[in-house]
């Protein structure tokens, strides 16, 4: 008798999963919310904006995003970029104007991300190379640390650029408030100590909570220690953008949108497990875009996914976006219940939190790793870093993009061109390199292999390289091994046809080998294939070598001068 099948009980599995998400969400809240408030202060905004950013944007992304664990709120990079842009349009720092400006900026970021999704621009996540991004973030880290130093010391400086600010801070050191410095030092000790002993710990919560208690108990506000001040209790109010600010904010919004997406997609991919759905770049764009649009109406600053906060969710067992919904619920509870207590929070405590969690943007080991692999890319990283320090954070993005494009163009314009030989005693062909001094070539046959797409940028360079090799080897047959060429553009094809015409006059014959279907179609359409004939278009470089040997052997048998 057939036994009835028993349906798997998913309720227990769902309960266990939610338990993991609940723990991860609560733990993440203890880390994310204090940091979000600190990042709002980096942007020159009220700390309540950090809570707003960890509320609506986080909920919207949790419902729309393709990542199971990406945590979306404010980040260090977005905070400093937003602050730079807001300072340009609201130089007097008026709170009401700032809230209107940040609503406009965040809304623009959201619209740009959504437009990028509609245009299928998800590939822009790879537009800034990794070394350049390393340099850019290092520059951002240095700017943020210097920006927070006056708060640690209890002094005020007029911001005039990184190097001027550095000298200004040094000039104001004698005016340091010792009680502010002591509080900041204690906060730094707590944060660094807890992070070393307990990675991904609720150290920011302990630091912020401790700062509030000490400030209230000792009356630090009355002793000259700067505090956050009154924070409105309750839900964020509806904030409408100011359309007159759009023209001023568009350039900055574009840079912030790029960094929001770049950081988010990198974090999402870094923490995605093999069994989880693939991260969809265009879906990420729409999710982040809607999250920012929703945040714009509720007082949030530009939002994006953060690596450190996502690491907390994953390391504490988070399984789904329910963890983010739990974190957002804690943000809501904080706004409704304990917002007044946050008013006691010293700015020095927030500055210490910002510095500890921004210093990780500066990665000397990564710079050294880049230098070991490629010196040129190490230089690009340095240029990107210095660009941020000299020109500022927003213009630094432009510098980073320009450096990436120059690096790409440099690689495309100078492709490798190899002479191909045969490993002695085998049929294996490979580039002639100093590491293989015993590799052999056939006298009279020169096989040259260019690599990559051949187009107007590099066609002349490749032609010059090949001409130099012809002068050096004086071959009777030049075989271009095109097996590593995925495409050939008209300008390059024209040069190739001109070379073929003058080959006979120069005393050698041109053969082509290893053409892929796309390149072969171009060669046929141009009429070059007809001129060469099937005898001079070979399947691969090995076939060219065999044909050359056969022609030479036939000529030797007939004791005649052979023509390849």
């Amino acid at each position: 008798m057939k036994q009835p099948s028993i349906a798997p009980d998913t309720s227990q599995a769902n309960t266990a999963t939610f338990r993991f998400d609940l723990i991860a969400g609560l733990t993440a809240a203890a880390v994310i919310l204090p940091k979000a408030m600190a990042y709002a202060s980096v942007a020159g905004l009220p700390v309540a904006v950090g809570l707003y950013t960890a509320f609506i944007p986080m909920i919207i992304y949790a419902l729309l995003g393709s990542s199971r664990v990406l945590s979306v709120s404010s980040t260090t990079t977005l905070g400093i970029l937003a602050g730079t842009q807001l300072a340009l349009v609201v130089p007097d720092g008026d709170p009401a104007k700032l809230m209107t400006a940040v609503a406009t900026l965040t809304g623009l970021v959201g619209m740009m991300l959504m437009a990028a999704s509609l245009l299928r621009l998800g590939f822009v996540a790879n537009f800034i190379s990794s070394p350049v991004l390393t340099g850019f973030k290092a520059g951002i880290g240095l700017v943020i640390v210097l920006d927070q130093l006056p708060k640690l010391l209890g002094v005020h400086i007029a911001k005039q650029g990184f190097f001027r600010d550095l000298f200004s801070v040094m000039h104001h050191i004698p005016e340091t408030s010792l009680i502010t410095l002591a509080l900041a030092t204690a906060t730094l000790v707590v944060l660094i100590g807890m992070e070393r002993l307990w990675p991904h710990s609720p150290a920011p919560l302990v630091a912020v909570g401790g700062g509030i208690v000490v400030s209230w108990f000792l009356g630090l506000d009355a002793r000259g220690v700067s505090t956050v001040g009154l924070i409105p209790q309750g839900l964020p109010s509806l904030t409408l953008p100011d359309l007159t600010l759009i023209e001023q904010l568009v350039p900055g919004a574009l840079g912030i949108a790029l960094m929001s997406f770049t950081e988010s997609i990198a974090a999402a991919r870094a923490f995605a497990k093999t069994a989880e759905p693939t991260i969809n770049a265009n879906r990420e764009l729409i999710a982040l875009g809607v999250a920012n649009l929703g945040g714009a109406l509720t007082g949030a600053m530009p939002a994006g996914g953060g690596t450190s906060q996502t690491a907390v969710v994953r390391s504490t067992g988070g399984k789904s976006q329910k963890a983010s919904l739990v974190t957002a619920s804690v943000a809501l509870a904080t706004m409704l219940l304990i917002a007044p207590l946050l008013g006691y929070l010293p700015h020095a405590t927030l500055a210490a939190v910002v510095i500890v969690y921004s210093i990780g943007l500066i990665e000397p080991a990564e710079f050294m790793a880049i230098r070991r692999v490629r010196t040129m890319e190490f230089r690009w990283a340095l240029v990107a870093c210095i660009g941020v320090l000299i020109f500022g954070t927003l213009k630094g993005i432009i510098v980073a993009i320009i450096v990436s494009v120059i690096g790409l163009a440099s690689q495309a314009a100078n492709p490798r061109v190899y002479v191909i030989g045969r490993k002695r005693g085998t049929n294996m062909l490979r580039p002639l390199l100093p590491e293989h001094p015993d590799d052999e070539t056939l006298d009279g046959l020169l096989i040259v292999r260019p690599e990559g797409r051949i187009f107007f940028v590099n066609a002349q360079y490749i032609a010059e390289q090949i001409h130099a090799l012809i002068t050096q080897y004086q071959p009777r047959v030049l075989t271009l091994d095109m097996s590593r060429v995925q495409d050939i553009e008209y300008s390059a094809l024209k040069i190739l046809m001109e070379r073929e015409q003058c080959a006979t006059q120069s005393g050698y014959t041109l053969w082509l080998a290893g053409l892929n279907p796309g390149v072969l179609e171009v060669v046929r359409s141009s009429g070059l294939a007809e001129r060469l004939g099937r005898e001079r278009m070979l399947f691969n470089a090995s076939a060219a070598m065999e044909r050359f040997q056969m022609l030479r052997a036939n000529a030797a048998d007939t004791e005649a001068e052979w023509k390849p």
Side-chain angles (χ1 to χ4, degrees):
M1 181 176 177
K2 185 178 180 180
Q3 296 293 327
S5 61
I6 301 175
D9 184 5
T10 59
S11 61
Q12 291 184 350
N14 290 336
T15 301
T17 299
F18 179 72
R19 186 168 66 248
F20 283 119
D21 286 331
L22 178 62
I23 294 171
L26 292 173
T27 306
V31 175
I32 292 170
L33 299 188
K35 289 167 69 173
M37 293 188 292
Y39 298 153
S41 71
V42 169
L45 295 165
V47 295
V49 172
L51 295 176
Y52 303 158
T53 310
F55 180 43
I56 294 296
M58 187 173 286
I59 292 174
I60 292 176
Y61 179 83
L63 299 176
L64 300 179
S66 63
S67 171
R68 292 274 182 90
V69 294
L70 182 66
S71 179
V72 171
S73 63
S74 55
T75 69
T76 314
T77 307
L78 299 183
I80 191 66
L81 292 176
T84 302
Q85 187 63 35
L86 293 172
L88 295 176
V89 297
V90 191
D92 60 355
D94 180 83
K97 292 180 181 178
L98 274 175
M99 292 306 295
T100 301
V102 77
T104 310
L105 179 63
T106 306
L108 282 172
V109 170
M111 292 177 65
M112 288 176 178
L113 289 168
M114 292 182 68
S117 175
L118 294 175
L119 296 173
R120 301 297 183 194
L121 297 180
F123 65 88
V124 298
N126 304 317
F127 201 66
I128 299 181
S129 71
S130 180
V132 171
L133 191 59
T134 297
F136 175 77
K137 287 191 171 185
I140 288 284
L142 290 171
V143 169
I144 291 173
V145 170
L146 180 62
D147 183 66
Q148 298 301 305
L149 274 180
K151 297 177 184 179
L152 290 185
L153 303 176
V155 299
H156 177 74
I157 65 169
K159 296 180 182 178
Q160 298 175 304
F162 181 83
F163 295 103
R164 290 185 180 181
D165 290 353
L166 180 60
F167 286 113
S168 184
V169 168
M170 294 170 64
H171 178 73
H172 283 81
I173 285 178
E175 303 169 18
T176 299
S177 166
L178 294 180
I179 189 170
T180 301
L181 180 60
L183 177 65
T185 302
T187 306
L188 289 170
V189 169
V190 169
L191 289 169
I192 296 171
M194 288 189 66
E195 285 294 342
R196 289 196 173 184
L197 296 174
W198 182 10
H200 306 309
S201 69
L205 179 65
V206 174
V208 167
I212 291 173
V213 170
V214 171
S215 176
W216 171 77
F217 185 74
L218 297 180
L220 295 183
D221 190 19
R223 296 171 180 260
V225 176
S226 175
T227 59
V228 167
L230 179 65
I231 294 180
Q233 187 173 12
L235 294 171
S237 58
L238 180 66
T239 308
L240 297 178
D242 183 351
L243 300 183
T244 63
L245 297 177
I246 290 178
E247 186 176 351
Q248 292 174 272
L249 291 173
V250 162
L254 185 60
I256 293 170
L258 176 62
M259 292 310 302
S260 172
F261 180 53
T262 301
E263 286 191 325
S264 299
I265 201 74
R269 288 171 176 169
F271 292 99
K273 291 186 175 180
T274 306
E276 294 177 349
T278 303
I279 302 301
N280 185 314
N282 284 299
R283 183 175 166 185
E284 289 299 291
L285 280 169
I286 196 73
L288 291 168
V290 177
N292 276 282
L293 278 177
L297 299 175
T298 53
M301 61 190 285
T307 302
S308 60
Q309 59 206 49
T310 304
V312 174
V313 175
R314 181 61 89 188
S315 65
T316 52
K319 304 293 183 183
S320 72
Q321 282 295 335
K322 291 176 184 176
S324 289
L325 295 177
V326 171
T327 301
S329 300
V330 176
L332 175 62
T334 303
M335 289 185 278
L336 295 177
L337 302 176
I338 63 173
L341 290 177
L342 297 176
Y344 290 102
L345 181 61
H347 279 124
T349 299
L350 279 178
V353 172
V354 171
I355 288 175
V356 168
Y357 293 101
S358 299
I359 203 76
L361 294 173
I362 308 167
E363 301 179 281
E366 186 68 14
F367 275 89
M368 292 300 101
I370 295 169
R371 187 183 180 189
R372 284 195 299 270
V373 176
R374 292 196 65 176
T375 305
M376 182 57 71
E377 294 190 32
F378 171 72
R379 292 171 184 164
W380 298 343
L382 288 181
V383 170
C385 178
I386 295 170
V388 173
L389 302 183
I390 294 176
F391 300 109
T393 52
L394 290 172
K395 291 180 181 177
I397 294 179
I398 298 174
V399 171
I401 293 174
I402 290 174
V403 170
S404 289
V405 171
I406 291 174
L408 179 62
S410 175
Q411 291 179 343
N414 299 281
R416 295 184 181 276
V417 179
Y418 292 108
V419 175
I420 301 301
R422 180 170 58 190
K423 183 178 180 181
R424 192 172 296 277
T426 72
N427 290 321
M428 185 177 76
L429 302 185
R430 61 187 180 185
L432 290 181
L433 297 172
E435 300 93 87
H436 311 300
D438 294 333
D439 285 3
E440 58 186 1
T441 58
L442 298 181
D443 187 32
L445 173 65
L446 173 62
I447 302 177
V448 176
R449 178 191 291 166
E451 296 197 344
R453 182 172 183 258
I454 304 179
F455 61 120
F456 64 94
V457 172
N458 60 24
Q460 190 59 42
Y461 171 82
I462 294 174
E464 291 171 358
Q465 294 291 103
I466 293 175
H467 179 72
L469 292 172
I470 292 172
T471 302
Q472 177 184 349
Y473 286 89
Q474 295 292 316
R476 298 189 66 177
V477 174
L478 168 65
T479 299
L480 292 184
D481 178 4
M482 306 288 278
S483 59
R484 300 295 190 273
V485 177
Q486 66 269 31
D487 184 33
I488 184 167
E489 183 256 353
Y490 179 77
S491 301
L493 181 64
K494 190 175 179 181
I495 292 176
L496 180 61
M497 294 171 70
E498 291 171 354
R499 294 289 176 179
E500 191 278 331
Q501 288 176 347
C502 69
T504 304
Q505 299 174 4
S506 302
Y508 67 90
T509 301
L510 176 67
W511 293 357
L512 297 181
L515 284 78
N516 69 51
V519 175
L520 179 59
E521 182 62 30
V522 172
V523 171
R524 283 174 174 167
S525 300
S526 69
L528 179 59
E530 186 177 350
R531 280 218 309 266
L532 291 174
R534 298 185 64 178
E535 297 79 8
R536 290 197 283 160
M537 295 180 63
L538 291 307
F539 181 70
N540 54 32
S542 294
M545 200 171 262
E546 291 172 6
R547 177 169 175 75
F548 181 85
Q549 289 176 308
M550 180 190 71
L551 291 175
R552 189 169 60 178
N554 289 343
D557 290 341
T558 59
E559 297 182 353
E561 183 178 353
W562 66 284
K563 295 183 179 181

